[in-house]
Amino acid sequence: MDADLVIIGSGAGGGTLARALARSGLSILILERGPYLPREKVNWDAETLFRTQRYHTTEQWRDRKGNLFHPVTGYHVGGNTKFYGAAVLRRREVDFGTRLHERGATVAWPITYHDLKTHYDTAETWYYAHGLKGADPTEPDRGPYPYPPMDHEPYIATVAENLERLGLHPFPLPLAINRVAQALPDSPCIRCDTCDGFPCLVHAKGDSEISAVRPALAHDNVRLETGIRVRRLVTDAAGSHIMAVDADGPNGSRRITARMFVLSAGAVNSAALLLASANERHPMGLGNGSDHVGRNYMCHLNTVCIGIDPRRRNPTVFQKTIGCNDFYNDSGDPEFPYPLGHIQNLGKLTPAILKAQRPMIPRWLTAWAAHHSCDWWLSTEDLADPENRVTLDRDGVIRISYRANNEAAHRRLVSRWRSILRHLGYPFIFTQRMGIEAVAHQVGTLRFGNDPKASVLDLQCRAHEIDNLYVVDGSFMPSIAAVNPSLTIMANALRIAPVIAARFSDGTAA
Ligand SMILES: Cc1cc2nc3c(=O)[nH]c(=O)nc-3n(C[C@H](O)[C@H](O)[C@H](O)COP(=O)(O)OP(=O)(O)OC[C@H]3O[C@@H](n4cnc5c(N)ncnc54)[C@H](O)[C@@H]3O)c2cc1C
Ligand code: SF4
């Protein structure tokens, strides 16, 4: 036996679970497809990130029509949290129930906010969440944040005041950044302009490598093997237990055995792995008697919105400090009484970022635009749809068949924000909707639930059909809500950790 517990993937879910179980004394082996992300000067180079895409996977996936595309994702220790914008928001209490949208209702979760509340507390502490209790009118019942909010720089403070004058309630965006007491000279975060979408060169971002995997590895019973790509999970003859995984690594292929397995490869890859592991007992893919594996893929409707005021330079360095949930529960328009979504600042667009993303635009114009812009990220909840799904083509290529839904709500959110920005004095406003390649917020493909016919995982995120297989990445979510998903993935992994530990102590582990 190679370990008591094998965890596949070291991102938000897998990394957090490893840390949560590190003190259990179990022998834990984390298998990570990627390497440690190298610390190098170009970590903070826009050209490297957005043009040459040095840290993204080179693999291609297909969309529903069969067109190949490059997914904006990468494989490293810490998973996609290495690049995340570190916005760490809890789901609202209403997000756990059925929410009525213009395009239908969301699926209620089989647990409530209160089942995750203390786990959110722990996740916020581990990941250095900075925020201000009481500032976000939609925030769920909670105690104070472990760290004070990140200050707005003067230009952004003025934007926040102006939003308040319009009757809105901007709040300090909760951020997972190790700035601790902000005045301390040894605070590792230097508040740079290459945070959102970049890895942190000085290791100050609360990502899963820094906040979870490294602390887990401080315990002798936890091991990490990098460059190990799991290809397939192998069951016993009855199909009720995973015996091993087959993986490719630097020394070729090998079989790795354990008593218990946790899949946490990200919502797309985890579903693809279960499909690729089909066998006689599970002809449609492991744990797929319900035919739900890969279905209900969600990723938000996302739009970048850039307001340009030619009369005012925006000298902000670290811009991602405002959140706004004024349209989270309701549009405010009686003719459209549905949620619109969540708004937050983007990291500041710099001339280098804009040039790397829009190489055809003359350098002087990208520089001018970036110096005069204020930049936003708008997301709306997309609804679970069984036809929005991850499948594997015959040649082994992942296919994401996805048609965005809830479009009217997103259009309203964008148009509302445009008019607000106009009121704030931005005559030029540009928006760009994210496409199929934007898989950052992927969730939903292995939903949990009480009914084995309508879900893949049970309440404890154990596969209904496989006794020793748990899943702790974003795939468990039956609905996505409009806030960013990571903190909920981390909190859920913390919820599942004692369940797994108990299986070993009560003798029910394989
Ligand atoms: C640019 C960007 C910005 C983002 N900003 C935010 C934000 O501000 N706030 C927020 O909440 N979320 C944000 N996200 C999303 C966030 O990163 C994800 O929600 C989160 O990382 C998902 O966690 P996970 O555990 O499901 O998967 P991941 O963190 O992606 O982890 C999956 C892990 O599995 C590994 N793996 C995959 N396949 C295999 C295999 N076959 N064998 C072994 N290992 C495998 C991967 O290498 C990876 O380490 C952002 C994402 C991106 C890309
Ligand atoms: S802002 Fe802070 S946490 Fe973010 S990349 Fe810069 S130094 Fe790192």
Side-chain angles (χ1 to χ4, degrees):
M1 203 61 86
D2 293 295
D4 290 325
L5 179 69
V6 157
I7 301 175
I8 303 163
S10 65
T16 307
L17 183 82
R19 178 170 173 182
L21 285 173
R23 284 181 197 283
S24 65
L26 294 172
S27 131
I28 298 171
L29 175 58
I30 309 168
L31 301 177
E32 170 51 53
R33 174 173 173 170
Y36 278 102
L37 195 129
R39 284 179 88 181
E40 49 195 0
K41 210 172 160 191
V42 290
N43 284 174
W44 280 347
D45 180 58
E47 186 77 6
T48 304
L49 263 289
F50 301 115
R51 207 152 137 66
T52 58
Q53 307 208 326
R54 178 179 173 80
Y55 306 120
H56 290 156
T57 177
T58 53
E59 73 186 326
Q60 290 184 297
W61 298 347
R62 290 199 182 94
D63 68 11
R64 73 187 163 87
K65 292 183 177 155
N67 300 314
L68 287 166
F69 68 91
H70 287 283
V72 181
T73 191
Y75 301 117
H76 299 96
V77 175
N80 280 292
T81 63
K82 289 306 293 176
F83 301 90
Y84 78 162
V88 280
L89 293 109
R90 298 180 183 211
R91 289 171 73 95
R92 321 289 96 172
E93 290 173 47
V94 286
D95 289 326
F96 290 80
T98 302
R99 297 202 93 185
L100 197 57
H101 287 268
E102 192 247 349
R103 278 295 152 155
T106 60
V107 177
W109 284 31
I111 58 172
T112 68
Y113 170 74
H114 289 278
D115 294 309
L116 281 187
K117 185 171 175 242
T118 57
H119 306 301
Y120 275 128
D121 293 343
T122 307
E124 286 179 348
T125 306
W126 287 6
Y127 285 84
Y128 318 115
H130 289 56
L132 183 64
K133 172 180 157 64
D136 169 1
T138 65
E139 94 183 349
D141 172 33
R142 58 162 304 132
Y145 279 86
Y147 301 105
M150 293 284 278
D151 299 331
H152 300 312
E153 290 174 39
Y155 180 103
I156 294 298
T158 307
V159 172
E161 281 161 23
N162 291 340
L163 289 171
E164 278 168 12
R165 271 194 208 108
L166 293 179
L168 300 174
H169 303 84
F171 58 90
L173 188 65
L175 290 166
I177 281 179
N178 185 6
R179 205 163 159 79
V180 196
Q182 293 176 28
L184 278 185
D186 61 352
S187 150
C189 170
I190 60 165
R191 272 194 84 120
C192 67
D193 60 1
T194 45
C195 191
D196 195 0
F198 293 80
C200 179
L201 178 56
V202 297
H203 278 181
K205 196 187 276 187
D207 61 40
S208 296
E209 178 196 347
I210 301 305
S211 289
V213 177
R214 285 179 184 256
L217 293 175
H219 298 259
D220 291 342
N221 54 311
V222 183
R223 288 172 293 143
L224 166 69
E225 288 197 37
T226 57
I228 304 290
R229 178 177 182 180
V230 173
R231 292 278 184 188
R232 185 181 173 80
L233 288 79
V234 183
T235 67
D236 60 4
S240 59
H241 288 83
I242 306 291
M243 308 297 289
V245 296
D246 288 337
D248 297 340
N251 303 318
S253 300
R254 64 191 240 247
R255 183 158 279 197
I256 299 163
T257 56
R259 295 170 67 193
M260 188 90 77
F261 293 84
V262 175
L263 185 52
S264 193
V268 172
N269 275 299
S270 284
L273 258 174
L274 292 185
L275 294 172
S277 304
N279 62 23
E280 244 174 52
R281 293 280 173 187
H282 298 269
M284 299 203 302
L286 281 195
N288 197 17
S290 65
D291 189 25
H292 270 63
V293 168
R295 294 192 185 269
N296 302 301
Y297 170 81
M298 291 165 279
C299 57
H300 283 145
L301 289 84
N302 297 303
T303 292
V304 167
C305 180
I306 300 172
I308 296 183
D309 178 355
R311 296 153 304 183
R312 261 189 308 169
R313 265 179 94 92
N314 179 357
T316 308
V317 177
F318 186 91
Q319 178 178 258
K320 198 177 177 71
T321 53
I322 294 182
C324 179
N325 276 335
D326 284 286
F327 312 111
Y328 198 87
N329 288 330
D330 175 343
S331 70
D333 174 354
E335 285 183 14
F336 194 91
Y338 304 108
L340 299 189
H342 165 73
I343 296 152
Q344 62 187 228
N345 275 128
L346 263 182
K348 182 75 200 82
L349 275 186
T350 60
I353 294 174
L354 212 48
K355 185 67 193 162
Q357 292 186 336
R358 290 283 176 278
M360 303 302 283
I361 303 179
R363 196 169 289 276
W364 67 267
L365 188 53
T366 49
W368 176 83
H371 286 315
H372 293 84
S373 75
C374 188
D375 320 294
W376 304 89
W377 178 258
L378 280 49
S379 31
T380 297
E381 173 159 34
D382 49 344
L383 305 175
D385 173 351
E387 296 313 315
N388 283 346
R389 63 189 297 205
V390 173
T391 49
L392 277 180
D393 283 353
R394 279 177 191 279
D395 56 2
V397 171
I398 288 173
R399 183 184 287 244
I400 300 190
S401 305
Y402 178 77
R403 264 181 220 269
N405 52 41
N406 216 9
E407 293 269 8
H410 193 60
R411 276 197 302 274
R412 279 178 180 254
L413 182 70
V414 174
S415 128
R416 203 59 172 274
W417 201 245
R418 289 180 78 106
S419 90
I420 287 166
L421 291 184
R422 243 176 256 118
H423 271 92
L424 295 192
Y426 296 89
F428 303 117
I429 295 160
F430 299 93
T431 55
Q432 185 180 351
R433 182 72 187 276
M434 297 293 107
I436 187 83
E437 69 291 341
V439 296
H441 291 181
Q442 55 183 275
V443 301
T445 53
L446 306 173
R447 61 156 62 152
F448 77 150
N450 287 313
D451 180 0
K453 292 200 187 75
S455 56
V456 179
L457 309 173
D458 70 11
L459 225 62
Q460 318 291 12
C461 290
R462 185 179 64 99
H464 285 298
E465 298 167 28
I466 300 172
D467 184 63
N468 64 342
L469 176 64
Y470 289 80
V471 179
V472 297
D473 55 27
S475 55
F476 80 98
M477 295 189 186
S479 68
I480 189 169
V483 289
N484 315 52
S486 293
L487 192 72
T488 300
I489 297 170
M490 295 158 186
N492 185 58
L494 282 154
R495 179 180 74 91
I496 300 307
V499 174
I500 291 176
R503 293 287 307 276
F504 284 93
S505 51
D506 69 14
T508 60

